Amino acid sequence: MVSALGMTATLGGCGSTGSSDTTLKLVAADYGDSAANSSKKYWAALADAYEAKHPGVKVQVSVYSWNDVDAKVKEMVDSGNAPDMAQIGAYADYAAAGKLYPMSDTLSIGTQADFVPQLAEAGDWNHTPYAMPFAASTRVLFYNKTLFQQAGITPPTTWDELASDAESLKAKGVKYPFALPLGPEEAQAETMQWLLSGGSGYTDDIGTYTIDSAVNGETFSWLKDDLVGKGLTGPVAPGRLNRAAAFAAFADGQVGMLNGHPTLIRQAEAKGVKFGMVPSPGRTGRARAAMGVTDWMLAFKQNGHAREIGSFLDFVYEQKNVLDFSRKYGLLPVTTSASEAMSQSDAKSDVPLHAFLDQLPTAEQYPVNKTSWAAVSAAVKKDIGQAVSPDGSPAGVLTRLQSAATAADSTAQSQG
């Protein structure tokens, strides 16, 4: 059963109540980690401000946890009760099924043009922009400055240096010299960062899955033999270590290094951990690209509210509102105007995000424009940890995942 962190409620109350009113229904994900900073408060304030200027429109928002929100939207769409808008993690299935408005049917030209180009391109399905970027993040290598100083080491720039640093941290008794979360919570993210660091990825340049490429096999063989096999990843097997647990351990001062995204900044600061951030090391130098993750805003066609949806979303994507959301939750702005404002800001909340913003122009996204990606991501979450287990076979696991990806892609194409 889907359990909502936030029950459906009409946010705000400004505006007329005549029969000509339009009510827009939005389902959104909760980026907060407590009731005090729940996304319900952000959307409530935004809806109030919009309704005050547009008395003929009401905005009704339901906020759900990330564990539930995608399933909730699917349930609504499958039952014939699609919301007008959904702010979730995937879109390709809905675009392929003809459920969504193209971006050009809702947003003003100015708002469309303001999206960071590579984020907007990732929202294309069949060469048409359907999904609007809503929030973004990249990954960098976090390291504990205190532990590094005690071990007399400097942040790594190559895999060899990373392994050497991990050895030094282990010798000093650090619990997790390098935390490698390949558990089911977010293994697809950690995996992609390592595939990029090794020089490849989930797909080739034309979008064909290449999970079992020789380069990817070498990457996971190195992880298995040079990190995990040498006891440099801590007491919990990577396949059972989830991202949230790894972040919590870093905030508790038990981790020397790990790949992290912007939300780890506040988590570590709250615990008083002194940390640094550097680009993730590659095989022989800086990684080919950082991993970028984008969350999406979708506009559903079912209720026919294209004009009202566009008006509200133009407001949502105004620079002030984009910056407010990004600063509140430690995420990267998805519009060029807000990104430039943040990169030029020396505000305490903005400076730590500059390292992530610097990577955004070249960051690579999941293959989210493939309708098969959801199935492939689920398979990676389930199986990739076995690739680095003591009796695991990196090549064998990657081959199985490639077969699953090829089958999922074939099924998706036949249904399309």
Side-chain angles (χ1 to χ4, degrees), residues 196-261:
L196 292 171
S197 297
S200 187
Y202 284 119
T203 63
D204 61 18
D205 290 341
I206 60 173
T208 302
Y209 286 112
T210 54
I211 297 171
D212 65 346
S213 69
V215 174
N216 288 344
E218 292 169 3
T219 293
F220 268 83
S221 292
W222 184 86
L223 284 173
K224 179 179 185 291
D225 298 337
D226 290 64
L227 280 189
V228 182
K230 293 182 178 178
L232 302 178
T233 54
V236 179
R240 294 199 300 270
L241 181 65
N242 280 326
R243 189 269 307 164
F247 279 20
F250 186 85
D252 286 338
Q254 300 175 338
V255 175
M257 299 174 277
L258 85 171
N259 292 316
H261 53 66

Side-chain angles (χ1 to χ4, degrees), residues 141-155 169 250 253 255-257 268 272-278:
L141 184 76
F142 281 72
Y143 67 96
N144 184 308
K145 286 185 173 181
T146 302
L147 298 179
F148 265 60
Q149 185 176 17
Q150 291 171 353
I153 55 177
T154 56
L169 291 163
F250 186 85
V255 175
M257 299 174 277
V273 172
K274 295 180 179 179
F275 62 90
M277 298 178 291
V278 294

Side-chain angles (χ1 to χ4, degrees), residues 295-333:
D295 301 326
W296 304 100
M297 178 68 76
L298 315 183
F300 284 89
K301 294 162 62 175
Q302 179 179 322
N303 301 319
H305 293 150
R307 181 177 63 83
E308 292 88 351
I309 290 170
S311 173
F312 177 65
L313 291 181
D314 281 341
F315 178 72
V316 168
Y317 285 109
E318 288 180 6
Q319 178 178 314
K320 173 186 179 299
N321 295 327
V322 173
L323 283 171
D324 283 349
F325 179 86
S326 299
R327 287 165 173 160
K328 185 175 183 63
Y329 296 107
L331 292 164
L332 304 183

